[in-house]
Amino acid sequence: MSHETQRGADETEDRDGTFGRYGGQYVPEALMPAVQELEDAYERYVLNNVDGFVDEFRRRLRDFGGRPTPLQRADRLSDRLDREVYLKREDLLHGGAHKLNNALGQVLLAKYMGKERIVAETGAGQHGTATAMAAAHLDMPCEVYMGTRDIQRQRPNVFRMRLNGSEVNPVSAGRGTLKEAINETMRDWATNVEDTHYVIGSVVGPHPFPEMVRTFQSVISEEARAQVQEQAGQLPDSVVACAGGGSNTMGTFHEFVGDESVDLFAVEAGGSSLAVDEETGVAPNSASLSTGTEGVLHGARTKLLQDSDGNVVESHSVSSGLDYAGVGPELAHLVDTERVTPVNVDDDEALEAFHLLSQEEGIIPALESAHAVAFARANPEQLGGLTVINVSGRGDKDLESVIEETENRELENAPGMDIFERAAGGSGGGL
Amino acid sequence: MNLADAFDEPAFVPYLCVGDPSVERTREYVQALVRGGADVLELGLPFSEPIAEGPTIQGSVVRALEAGTTPEQYFEFVDSLDVDVPVVCMTYYNLLYQYGDSEAQRASDASGEAASDGPESFVERAAEVGISGFVIPDLPAEEAGPLRAACDDHGLDLVFIVAPTTEGDRLERMVELSSGYLYVQARLGVTGAKADVSDQTEASLAKVSQYDIPKAVGFGVSSGDQARHIVEAGADGVIVGSALVDVVAEHGDPDGDDVPERLEAKARELSEGVAAGAENMAKPEGQ
């Protein structure tokens, strides 16, 4: 890595665990000592490289993870949008998504802390599979909590976790998705706090998780910032990343935050509508930055989708990795201070971008990442002359839902779905 | 009603979630608990993300939310309760945070200005309906400044949960911020009925014995026998939730349900356990 920084040296502004009015530590008392122990360990090993933690982390990211990932000029997309478009290829990281950066960092940190067991939540299964890989790699027992509905939607990821030796515990509360899986993992942590570390999957949760996960994910922007200057001889005019909880977003933005000339776009899932249905307690979107209000969820004060009483509503997106009612507190703060511009695209636009990147660049992106591409495609004039889009993951995990969703919609560039009939036929309830 | 005074004699503190299965049924249940010997009532206001609760109370919270229970209904319910024991509100911080001027907040969010005024309006309303204090499981001492101040302004107590992992300076700070009673968590984990008395109970009580504030033990208490043991171990109160919610969960038998009767019987078993423990404690040192 050419852009070698001693990370953390200049990041002391958040020592009290808040970002403007967001952040904090809203957790049950039983967890507070563990959270504070983690704060100490984060400072010691991650910020100050005690016992060579950072060196080992970097080495394992390289040898096990395959870093650095390329920054690639997207030739046809550049032509189409009439400007320079570069893709940061996190889809090429081991496991097929940026999630490993954080999972490997936290499992390694748990080892340095002397913890004996890992628990994690997962929504789409990407964080769960990354944690299961990291835990197998570092020889730690691992249990992953996953909503029953997500288990049905993401069976291949369940198999991957099991193959890596992790237990997968179904969570049937609520709608059986990410929010409930986080609740249940917190309960496990509160029960087994003395020997267990909770590897949270995004820049959410109580301090120090939001800052720590961002630090692990910042390798994305650290590389991209150096690569774009090397390849294009300049900083980009804009950087685009999708935003659910916000871990790839913060990782992609972090090193650019100080570059005032670089516009930062966080692309949320607009789902099918931006409204919240108070009656049913459902938001048919996951756009907490664009439409959420301030509240306290999963340990932090942040922007979230809630009804007028303060009960958290169920979010929705065609992309399960963006399907979350909250968002990281630092990202909420960067939006309030207008450093980051929150935008959103709906399910149809995301699916069209999925097909576009598949057909024209030979890259099948995760539906999450397709949201970032969709924004760029629809708003080229906002990107400036040179933009970097983070392809946070690959789309293999989404093939069945894309086929199903594409069939149900009128998409301008979708291939004829009859080509999938043989492949999809007979799979019965496997979707 | 002064909360600490309710612990002059060892107290039985039952918990129920309001609105499970309906606010009106809860009224019958609460009256049954009082007949069965409740000295303080912990009444849950349902929140969608009850992260400190085990499966039993989660189920109760889900049923209460499905029945449409709102903070305002809860307040009206408490206001109309005709019972002679103090009521403690147990809920999660986001509901306090959102209460009141949510429309004003939305408008100010849109304009990018400072938003919620914090827990002030919620506490004011709670004081109005006669609530004596709060237990907020996701609010550690570190984040409790605004709520403590609002409680002081309105003369309400704020009860903190002392976990088995709470020690040293943090315990000191928590005791300083606490009023009413200390909620001593008998074991790690989440709420839920257990058959035994946790070994942790005595150690946890010893840890806080020097402080001049009532100590009530909860998490996993389900029988009169356990309640007696806990009082004998030095507790000023015994908190029981899941074992009572288990009874509530069986409501709705077509043959006319006997939930109030069974709740009263369970409450009596528990309150008699507390009383027996108190008697045994009084003997060795008795005049």
Side-chain angles (χ1 to χ4, degrees):
Chain A
M1 277 170 241
S2 54
H3 185 73
E4 203 63 58
T5 53
Q6 191 56 51
R7 285 183 294 158
D10 58 351
E11 287 170 13
T12 50
E13 77 278 13
D14 305 323
R15 281 275 63 87
D16 62 345
T18 58
F19 306 94
R21 51 190 302 111
Y22 304 112
Q25 297 177 314
Y26 296 85
V27 293
E29 173 57 27
L31 289 177
M32 279 305 291
V35 163
Q36 292 183 337
E37 181 191 356
L38 184 62
E39 262 183 86
D40 292 344
Y42 167 63
E43 191 164 327
R44 184 177 159 81
Y45 298 117
V46 183
L47 296 185
N48 295 316
N49 196 20
V50 171
D51 297 346
F53 173 87
V54 175
D55 305 318
E56 181 174 354
F57 173 53
R58 298 261 160 160
R59 177 174 63 73
R60 289 184 188 275
L61 270 184
R62 185 189 65 213
D63 298 345
F64 178 66
R67 298 214 75 92
T69 60
L71 181 78
Q72 179 217 334
R73 183 178 185 276
D75 295 336
R76 291 182 68 189
L77 197 56
S78 294
D79 286 350
R80 178 186 270 274
L81 302 183
D82 195 23
R83 63 210 63 226
E84 292 296 298
V85 179
Y86 285 84
L87 304 177
K88 179 60 175 164
R89 298 289 309 276
E90 288 299 294
D91 59 313
L92 294 177
L93 187 65
H94 179 41
H98 71 291
K99 291 288 186 188
L100 183 69
N101 298 325
N102 168 49
L104 188 65
Q106 285 199 54
V107 177
L108 187 63
L109 184 61
K111 253 194 130 70
Y112 274 62
M113 291 170 73
K115 299 289 179 186
E116 292 166 2
R117 175 174 173 266
I118 294 297
V119 291
E121 88 292 344
T122 196
Q126 290 306 100
H127 174 59
T129 53
T131 305
M133 292 185 320
H137 174 63
L138 293 166
D139 191 23
M140 288 279 261
C142 175
E143 289 184 40
V144 179
Y145 289 88
M146 187 170 185
T148 45
R149 199 174 128 109
D150 284 333
I151 286 178
Q152 283 189 341
R153 291 196 290 192
Q154 305 285 343
R155 286 170 62 80
N157 276 339
V158 176
F159 297 146
R160 290 168 74 192
M161 289 183 263
R162 300 294 304 272
L163 287 169
N164 285 137
S166 287
E167 296 289 331
V168 179
N169 300 324
V171 179
S172 58
R175 258 172 84 243
T177 59
L178 177 60
K179 181 164 77 69
E180 285 75 29
I182 294 179
N183 292 343
E184 202 55 36
T185 317
M186 289 226 175
R187 294 180 186 116
D188 180 309
W189 196 28
T191 309
N192 303 295
V193 60
E194 281 152 338
D195 67 351
T196 298
H197 175 69
Y198 175 12
V199 177
I200 206 163
S202 190
V203 287
V204 301
H207 175 69
F209 282 110
E211 182 186 328
M212 181 174 74
V213 175
R214 176 256 282 162
T215 300
F216 288 139
Q217 291 291 0
S218 291
V219 65
I220 302 172
S221 51
E222 196 183 301
E223 287 174 7
R225 193 173 181 281
Q227 287 165 325
V228 70
Q229 291 182 93
E230 198 179 302
Q231 292 177 35
Q234 64 164 98
L235 284 174
D237 298 304
S238 61
V239 176
V240 183
C242 63
S247 73
N248 99 84
T249 336
M250 283 311 308
T252 307
F253 290 172
H254 183 65
E255 295 290 332
F256 292 106
V257 167
D259 298 324
E260 284 175 17
S261 65
V262 181
D263 291 336
L264 305 173
F265 293 99
V267 187
E268 296 191 289
S272 53
S273 159
L274 283 184
V276 170
D277 184 340
E278 287 260 346
E279 275 295 299
T280 57
V282 172
N285 64 73
S286 306
S288 41
L289 287 172
S290 307
T291 69
T293 52
E294 185 179 329
V296 174
L297 176 64
H298 294 143
R301 206 163 52 240
T302 188
K303 284 181 188 286
L304 54 108
L305 302 175
Q306 55 188 329
D307 66 19
S308 54
D309 291 328
N311 285 306
V312 182
V313 302
E314 299 287 352
S315 54
H316 168 78
S317 167
V318 66
S319 146
S320 45
L322 300 181
D323 196 346
Y324 179 57
V327 67
E330 184 176 18
L331 194 49
H333 175 62
L334 289 171
V335 165
D336 272 10
T337 56
E338 299 182 358
R339 180 64 192 95
V340 168
T341 307
V343 295
N344 57 80
V345 302
D346 66 22
D347 289 344
D348 285 4
E349 293 172 291
L351 284 160
E352 284 174 9
F354 174 95
H355 290 300
L356 179 78
L357 212 63
S358 300
Q359 290 162 21
E360 297 197 356
E361 300 292 342
I363 299 169
I364 299 175
L367 276 173
E368 292 79 11
S369 322
H371 282 73
V373 176
F375 168 75
R377 178 179 179 229
N379 304 275
E381 75 290 349
Q382 294 191 44
L383 304 175
L386 194 163
T387 191
V388 171
I389 302 172
N390 190 39
V391 182
S392 55
R394 68 180 184 219
D396 306 43
K397 67 183 175 61
D398 294 319
L399 296 185
E400 290 200 72
S401 35
V402 166
I403 292 166
E404 189 184 358
E405 295 287 346
T406 299
E407 265 179 332
N408 296 335
R409 296 161 198 263
E410 305 250 324
L411 303 178
E412 62 179 48
N413 62 346
M417 285 296 117
D418 49 344
I419 63 170
F420 299 112
E421 262 173 20
R422 255 163 303 148
S427 68
L431 282 179
Chain B
M1 201 171 304
N2 191 316
L3 200 45
D5 289 352
F7 293 86
D8 282 349
E9 296 292 318
F12 165 50
V13 185
Y15 162 96
L16 284 183
C17 180
V18 172
D20 171 23
S22 70
V23 172
E24 279 322 303
R25 290 312 308 269
T26 305
R27 185 182 310 279
E28 295 172 41
Y29 298 168
V30 164
Q31 284 159 349
L33 293 175
V34 172
R35 285 196 302 275
D39 299 300
V40 174
L41 291 166
E42 273 187 11
L43 294 181
L45 164 61
F47 173 57
S48 58
E49 317 301 313
I51 57 174
E53 315 297 351
T56 305
I57 294 180
Q58 281 178 54
S60 187
V61 166
V62 167
R63 290 190 296 273
L65 286 173
E66 280 171 355
T69 314
T70 65
E72 197 43 47
Q73 283 179 9
Y74 176 92
F75 286 134
E76 283 164 15
F77 169 73
V78 175
D79 198 21
S80 66
L81 260 189
D82 187 20
V83 294
D84 198 22
V85 298
V87 170
V88 174
C89 169
M90 182 154 179
T91 191
Y92 288 78
Y93 196 53
N94 197 46
L95 295 189
L96 280 71
Y97 203 74
Q98 295 306 323
Y99 185 79
D101 53 357
S102 54
E103 289 310 313
Q105 186 198 330
R106 240 155 258 213
S108 72
D109 272 8
S111 66
E113 287 161 20
S116 170
D117 68 347
E120 170 72 26
S121 335
F122 188 95
V123 176
E124 189 182 346
R125 181 76 176 117
E128 229 172 71
V129 302
I131 285 170
S132 298
F134 298 107
V135 180
I136 312 294
D138 65 342
L139 191 70
E142 282 77 356
E143 304 287 357
L147 180 56
R148 180 69 263 181
C151 284
D152 288 343
D153 287 348
H154 295 279
L156 266 66
D157 287 314
L158 182 55
V159 175
F160 284 90
I161 299 175
V162 179
T165 49
T166 312
E167 274 162 9
D169 294 348
R170 297 205 62 260
L171 178 58
E172 292 279 340
R173 197 166 354 144
M174 185 183 295
V175 173
E176 265 169 42
L177 284 173
S178 293
S179 61
Y181 57 98
L182 278 183
Y183 189 135
V184 179
Q185 182 180 337
R187 61 187 88 218
L188 278 175
V190 293
T191 56
K194 300 277 195 305
D196 62 322
V197 174
S198 163
D199 298 342
Q200 187 81 51
T201 306
E202 280 185 38
S204 295
L205 281 168
K207 196 165 66 179
V208 295
S209 63
Q210 67 190 95
Y211 301 111
D212 184 25
I213 180 170
K215 296 104 192 163
V217 172
F219 276 54
V221 187
S222 66
S223 72
D225 225 27
Q226 280 173 301
R228 178 173 58 79
H229 279 298
I230 288 168
V231 172
E232 285 168 359
D236 302 297
V238 177
I239 304 166
V240 182
S242 298
L244 299 166
V245 172
D246 275 337
V247 178
V248 170
E250 293 163 24
H251 69 83
D253 280 357
D255 310 335
D257 77 40
D258 55 351
V259 169
E261 291 73 20
R262 287 190 295 128
L263 272 179
E264 183 179 340
K266 189 71 192 171
R268 184 156 292 122
E269 174 198 332
L270 289 157
S271 64
E272 283 174 1
V274 169
E279 229 168 87
N280 294 344
M281 284 298 278
K283 273 179 204 156
E285 293 168 8
Q287 277 85 18

